[in-house]
Amino acid sequence: MFYYVVRRIIYIIPISLAVSLVCFLLVHIAPGDPIDAMVAPDTPPVVIEQVRAQFGLDQPLPVQFGIWLAKVVQGDLGNSLIKGRPIAADLLSASANTFILAMTGGLLGVLIGCVFGGIAGVYRGTWIDRVLLGTAVAGVSVPHYWLGMVMVIIFSVNLNLLPAMGAGPGGSTEWAWDWAHIQFLILPSITLCVIPAGLVTRTVRGLVSDIMSQDFITTLRGKGLRRSGIINHVIQNAAPTVLAVIGLQLANLMGGSILVETVFAWPGTGMMLNNAIFQRDIPVLQATTLVLALFFVVLNLVVDLIQTAIDPRIIRR
Amino acid sequence: MNETVSQTRTGDYLVRARDLNVAFVSREATVNAVNGIDLDLAFGEVLCILGESGSGKSVTLRALMRLNPKGKTVMSGELSVAGHDMMALPDSMLTSVRGREVSMIFQEPMTALDPVFTIGRQIGETIVRHEGISRREAEQRALDLLELVQIPSAKRRLSAYPHELSGGLRQRAMIAMAISCRPKLLLADEPTTALDATVQIQILLLLRRLQQELGMGVIFVTHDLGVAGEIADRIAVMYAGRMVEQASVTDFITRPLHPYAQGLMGATVHSGMRGHRLTTIPGSPPDLRLPISGCAFAARCPHVVNACRAALPPFRHPEPGRAVRCVRFEEAA
C-alpha cells in the first residue's frame, strides 16, 4: 500500500509534464497572433518584431516551452499581456474564489444527488423513482447558463432578493464567510449544483438498485437485519464508486464553471479564462489551463487513494 | 376451533403449513410458483425437498421465512414456524424471528455474502442484532463459531473478506452465520450445489454434525438424490409447485411411488445401478403462468390415464408416514 501511494504520487510528474506541454501547444496551434491584440493596428513591422522578441515569441517552440516550463516550476507563471501584472497572484485569488463556488455547488449537488439517488434506487420502478429520475434528467439537460439567467431574472430582477453579479459588495474579490458575501454565492452555487446533482442522482440510483437486487441483500434480510442495517450495507457497497464520481464532478466544477462564472461575473478562474480567451492573453490562458488541469490530476489521485483505502476488493501494490 | 387447542397443535410442530400458496405477480403475468403445499416438520427433524429447477422448492423454502421479494409476492394459506403465525406476523416482529429462530444458508456462498464486510463482522452483526451484545463480544462469538464450523486459522479468517476465502470456506462461514443464534430451524437452499464434489461431502458432514449437536430442525432443498439420502430423515418431492410424494428416506430410496420420483431415481447414479442404463424423463415441466388442471406430471407420465387430467389427484396413504399424489401408483410401482 505504501509503495502504491509513493508510486502513484511519482506518476504525477510525467502526467503533469504532458499536461503542461498540451497546454503550451494548444495556445500556439490556435489561430491568431497574440501580438495583434497588443499593439495598435497601424504599428510598423519593426516594432511588432521588437514586441515579439520582448515576450520571447520569436524563439523556436521547444525553446519557448523550455523557458516557460523553467519559470512555471519556480512559480513564475509570467505576466499578463493585457494587465502587465504577474499572473500568479491573480490566479491564486481567482482559484480561491472558484474553489469556494465549486465546493459549495459541488457539495450541494452531491448531497441532493445522494438523497435523490438513494431514494430512487430503493423505490425503483415506482412513481417516486420516476419523479426523481425525471428531475435528474432535467437537471443534467438544462443548460446552466440559461438556468443562471432565469434565476437572475426571478430572484434578482423581479423579487430583488439576491445580488445578480460579483462575489461581494462593491465588486470586492476578497471572500469572507459573512452574509454580505454569502448572498452572492447562493444563485451561482445553486446554478452550478444542478448538473452534478443530476449525475450523482443517476449514478447513486443505479448503484443502489443494483446492490439491492444482489443475493447478499436476501442474506441480510434472512439474518433479521432491519431496514437501517441493510441500508448501512448498501452505503458501504456504493461508497467507492460514488466517491469516484463525486471526485471527478468536483474536478469538473473547478474548470467547468466558466459559463456560470461569466453569467454571474464571479471573479474565479472560469471568468479569468473566459477573459483571457477573448483578449488573446496567451500567458494567462496557459497558466489558468495548467492550474486547472493540475487540479484535475491531483483530485484524481486523491480519489484513487481514498478508493483504494475504503474498498477491500481493490488491492494495489 | 378452540384457541388453546390450536396452539398446542402448532406447538407440536416446528413447521406446519396448510394449503400454502405463493404466486409472483407482475404486470405481464402471474406465476403460481407454489400451489397448495402441506408441510409438517417436527423439532430436530431433517426434511429434504427434492425437485428439479423451477419446481418451487426454493420459493417454498423462502416462503417459510417470508423472504420472497416483497410487493411482488402473494402468499396465502396457513403457516406456522416455531410457534409464530408467519402469515400474520408484522414486519417488525418478522425481523426478530429471522436469523434467531429461523435462518437460511444459500446456494452461492460467493454472492450471498457482502463483499465489502469482513467475515467476522457479518457473523457478529447477526449476534449483535438479536442478542444486543457489544461488537467486541460478538467478534469473540464469531471466532468460536468459525472454530465450530472447522475453519482453519479461524482468528485470521475473522478479518478476511469473502473474496479472500475459497468456496468451501465461504460456505462454512455462511453456515457459522446461520447458526450463530442457535436457530430452531435451519433452511438450506442447495448449499452444496456450487461446490466441488469433495467439498460437498465435507459440508454435508458438517451440517449433519451441527444438526445433531444443536438439535435443529433442518429443511434441505436439493436436486441431488445422493445428498438427500445422506442427510435426510424424510424426503418430499415437489413438481410444478406441488408436493407429489412424501416418505421416509429409506422407503423412498428403496421404492419411490410417484412416477416422477421414479423418473428422478432412474436418472440418477446410485448403488445398484451397475449394468443399467440411466433413463431420462421426456418433456419439460409445465408453464406455471398457465393454470394446470389435473396432475401436473400427466403430460410426461408413462402411466397416464384420463383420470389424471380430469382432476388433481388427492394424496393417497399406502402405508403410515407415506403420501403420494397419484391415482395409479399401485400400477406404476
Side-chain angles (χ1 to χ4, degrees), chain B:
Chain B
M1 195 192 291
N2 186 315
E3 189 86 29
T4 44
V5 173
S6 99
Q7 267 187 1
T8 46
R9 281 189 73 179
T10 54
D12 293 340
Y13 292 95
L14 182 53
V15 179
R16 185 182 173 88
R18 288 292 173 270
D19 192 27
L20 183 66
N21 292 280
V22 183
F24 296 119
V25 184
S26 71
R27 212 174 301 170
E28 291 81 31
T30 297
V31 178
N32 298 302
V34 174
N35 303 303
I37 278 192
D38 295 347
L39 192 69
D40 290 323
L41 186 79
F43 285 88
E45 190 184 15
V46 182
L47 171 75
C48 246
I49 301 181
L50 210 61
E52 62 197 279
S53 310
S55 61
K57 51 194 197 306
S58 288
V59 177
T60 307
L61 205 63
R62 278 155 203 244
L64 294 184
M65 54 200 289
R66 257 171 57 196
L67 207 53
N68 287 306
K70 223 178 140 182
K72 294 171 197 158
T73 313
V74 179
M75 277 172 73
S76 66
E78 285 172 41
L79 176 63
S80 122
V81 175
H84 301 281
D85 180 355
M86 295 301 277
M87 303 303 275
L89 205 64
D91 282 0
S92 57
M93 286 169 70
L94 185 65
T95 59
S96 304
V97 174
R98 287 175 180 164
R100 180 158 72 182
E101 297 188 63
V102 193
S103 62
M104 191 179 263
I105 309 170
F106 296 88
Q107 179 174 355
E108 268 291 343
M110 184 70 233
T111 57
L113 291 167
D114 185 333
V116 305
F117 276 58
T118 61
I119 298 293
R121 213 173 143 200
Q122 296 195 50
I123 298 173
E125 192 177 42
T126 317
I127 311 172
V128 171
R129 162 70 184 89
H130 293 296
E131 299 183 9
I133 60 175
S134 74
R135 253 168 92 163
R136 189 94 167 266
E137 289 171 286
E139 197 93 323
Q140 180 56 44
R141 282 271 299 276
L143 179 63
D144 298 342
L145 283 160
L146 288 189
E147 279 163 0
L148 184 65
V149 297
Q150 295 163 331
I151 290 187
S153 35
K155 187 133 202 163
R156 195 158 51 82
R157 263 39 188 272
L158 219 48
S159 53
Y161 290 93
H163 67 268
E164 295 169 330
L165 302 182
S166 69
L169 288 188
R170 276 199 291 265
Q171 196 59 293
R172 281 172 194 270
M174 171 69 90
I175 293 171
M177 196 163 85
I179 62 168
S180 60
C181 294
R182 297 198 157 232
K184 296 180 188 127
L185 175 63
L186 180 68
L187 305 174
D189 187 1
E190 305 202 34
T192 59
T193 307
L195 304 174
D196 289 347
T198 48
V199 181
Q200 281 189 13
I201 288 294
Q202 293 170 3
I203 295 290
L204 275 184
L205 293 176
L206 173 69
L207 277 173
R208 195 162 66 182
R209 202 198 78 209
L210 290 172
Q211 186 271 328
Q212 283 160 0
E213 281 176 15
L214 305 177
M216 301 176 287
V218 176
I219 299 183
F220 198 105
V221 154
T222 182
H223 58 250
D224 187 337
L225 256 171
V227 167
E230 199 61 49
I231 193 162
D233 300 324
R234 210 148 50 83
I235 284 183
V237 182
M238 281 189 76
Y239 186 77
R242 282 188 190 129
M243 212 64 99
V244 293
E245 180 164 355
Q246 285 202 39
S248 76
V249 70
T250 34
D251 285 351
F252 182 82
I253 290 197
T254 46
R255 202 166 60 94
L257 295 180
H258 194 280
Y260 174 65
Q262 290 165 0
L264 277 184
M265 279 297 257
T268 312
V269 182
H270 53 88
S271 57
M273 288 286 290
R274 189 171 292 276
H276 293 272
R277 273 187 180 279
L278 287 179
T279 54
T280 57
I281 306 174
S284 55
D287 187 344
L288 293 176
R289 285 172 297 185
L290 309 171
I292 301 165
S293 62
C295 174
F297 191 60
R300 302 168 77 182
C301 183
H303 308 287
V304 63
V305 291
N306 283 337
C308 301
R309 297 200 178 89
L312 175 65
F315 266 117
R316 307 270 183 103
H317 301 274
E319 46 204 86
R322 264 199 115 151
V324 57
R325 186 163 252 178
C326 179
V327 289
R328 299 196 65 204
F329 75 90
E330 279 136 340
E331 295 91 320

Side-chain angles (χ1 to χ4, degrees), chain A residues 41 57 71 84 107 136 168 181 202 214 222 227 242 268 273 275 303:
Chain A
L57 293 173
K71 284 184 174 172
L107 293 181
H181 286 83
R202 288 201 300 191
Q214 282 185 29
R227 183 176 279 255
V242 173
L273 204 60
N275 290 339
V303 167

